[in-house]
Amino acid sequence: MDYYTSRGSHVFVCFADFSKAFDKVNYWKLFSQLIDLGLSTWIVLLLAYWYSHQQVSVKWHGKTSSTFFVGNRTKQGGLLSPCLFNCYVRKLISSITTSNIGCNIGGLFTNILAYADDMVLLAPSWRALQHLLKILQECASDTDLMCNVNKTVCMIFPQRLSRRLLKQFFLV
């Protein structure tokens, strides 16, 4: 951001939030993607068994419910969950990074920062940000994810005027 704002340009940013992202992970799409990435079939089979046989119970005020099976989801707070989620959204991230839309620094487009379900889009204009959001929306729907418009926030980091420009502006 400093690179752009110190050179007299804005940076347009969108902090994207997905609605119940970990809960919406489709196991079978995830396992298929893990196989496509070249992960050992035995590891994928182990994960498939582990996730398809999840049982949980709820503890509330000292009382514990009976156990029940859990459908699609990765375990929030689980050590493996961010890694699995990153694999799940790999095509989404790849589509954005290869779009050649975003902040260009030395020939490298920097347009997304992502860790698990936390994603930040970066663009030098509103129009470029709109293009990135369109790619995000299309790819998210392919993975059964949906942006939460109530928690997604867009911001502008304004240009910083240099002392030379400030002097010119105020002395003219």
Side-chain angles (χ1 to χ4, degrees), residues 39-51:
L39 194 63
S40 165
T41 306
W42 292 108
I43 293 174
V44 175
L45 286 172
L46 175 68
L47 289 170
Y49 179 82
W50 184 25
Y51 276 94

Side-chain angles (χ1 to χ4, degrees), residues 3-163:
Y3 180 87
Y4 269 75
T5 60
S6 66
R7 287 167 174 75
S9 183
H10 300 305
V11 178
F12 296 82
V13 179
C14 180
F15 297 88
D17 182 83
F18 295 103
S19 298
K20 302 196 181 291
F22 284 88
D23 296 343
K24 302 257 173 126
V25 171
N26 180 316
Y27 292 149
W28 307 112
K29 282 184 183 181
L30 171 63
F31 300 144
S32 174
Q33 290 170 353
L34 292 174
I35 289 170
D36 290 347
L37 287 172
L39 194 63
S40 165
T41 306
W42 292 108
I43 293 174
V44 175
L45 286 172
L46 175 68
L47 289 170
Y49 179 82
W50 184 25
Y51 276 94
S52 63
H53 289 82
Q54 291 183 87
Q55 292 186 42
V56 297
S57 60
V58 177
K59 189 172 186 176
W60 182 262
H61 293 289
K63 301 209 186 240
T64 304
S65 73
S66 57
T67 59
F68 55 93
F69 284 95
V70 178
N72 284 344
R73 69 181 349 206
T74 57
K75 300 170 192 251
Q76 288 197 35
L79 295 176
L80 196 54
S81 294
C83 183
L84 290 174
F85 192 82
N86 283 345
C87 290
Y88 189 65
V89 294
R90 186 170 187 259
K91 289 179 184 174
L92 179 150
I93 293 170
S94 178
S95 295
I96 291 172
T97 58
T98 59
S99 68
N100 291 331
I101 299 169
C103 295
N104 187 336
I105 302 173
L108 178 67
F109 283 94
T110 304
N111 55 13
I112 187 168
L113 305 172
Y115 178 76
D117 65 331
D118 296 317
M119 295 188 188
V120 182
L121 300 175
L122 306 161
S125 68
W126 275 118
R127 186 178 179 111
L129 184 61
Q130 188 64 42
H131 283 293
L132 293 176
L133 286 167
K134 184 177 179 188
I135 294 168
L136 179 77
Q137 177 194 8
E138 289 169 358
C139 294
S141 68
D142 288 344
T143 54
D144 304 324
L145 296 174
M146 190 168 56
C147 278
N148 181 343
V149 293
N150 294 323
K151 290 186 176 180
T152 296
V153 177
C154 292
M155 295 174 57
I156 303 171
F157 287 84
Q159 63 186 1
R160 288 186 303 189
L161 297 174
S162 66
R163 289 181 188 217

